[in-house]
Amino acid sequence: CSPIKKNWRPKVEGTCWDPRVKVFLPRSVTAVYSGIVDLVLAFLPWKIIWCLPFRKRDKFGLVALMSLGVLYISLPSFLPAVSG
């Protein structure tokens, strides 16, 4: 709002954004940020797995199982941003 005081005193002269924008934009940004952080933290252990002294088949199995976790984490995080 302009002036800033209008945010907590609605009767003050000035202009504000549409209230729907104030609610939708922060929720969307938070949902996307949360989804990105979740994905980064889910993919981070993959580097550790590749350094382990396992057979490649076992490594691929672990990565596949972790990928299921990535889907479980990422879909609910990004759906609020997409659905509006």
Side-chain angles (χ1 to χ4, degrees), residues 1-65:
C1 291
S2 176
I4 295 174
K5 189 187 296 186
K6 186 163 176 59
N7 282 312
W8 58 89
R9 292 188 181 157
K11 294 182 182 181
V12 171
E13 226 21 72
T15 59
C16 284
W17 286 10
D18 184 10
R20 292 174 292 184
V21 172
K22 287 188 204 178
V23 172
F24 174 73
L25 191 61
R27 283 180 53 202
S28 298
V29 170
T30 302
V32 170
Y33 176 76
S34 175
I36 290 170
V37 169
D38 287 344
L39 285 173
V40 167
L41 291 176
F43 286 122
L44 197 58
W46 288 19
K47 177 147 176 57
I48 297 169
I49 289 175
W50 283 125
C51 296
L52 293 175
F54 293 153
R55 296 179 311 197
K56 284 205 186 263
R57 192 174 89 178
D58 295 337
K59 290 179 186 180
F60 280 120
L62 283 172
V63 168
L65 288 174

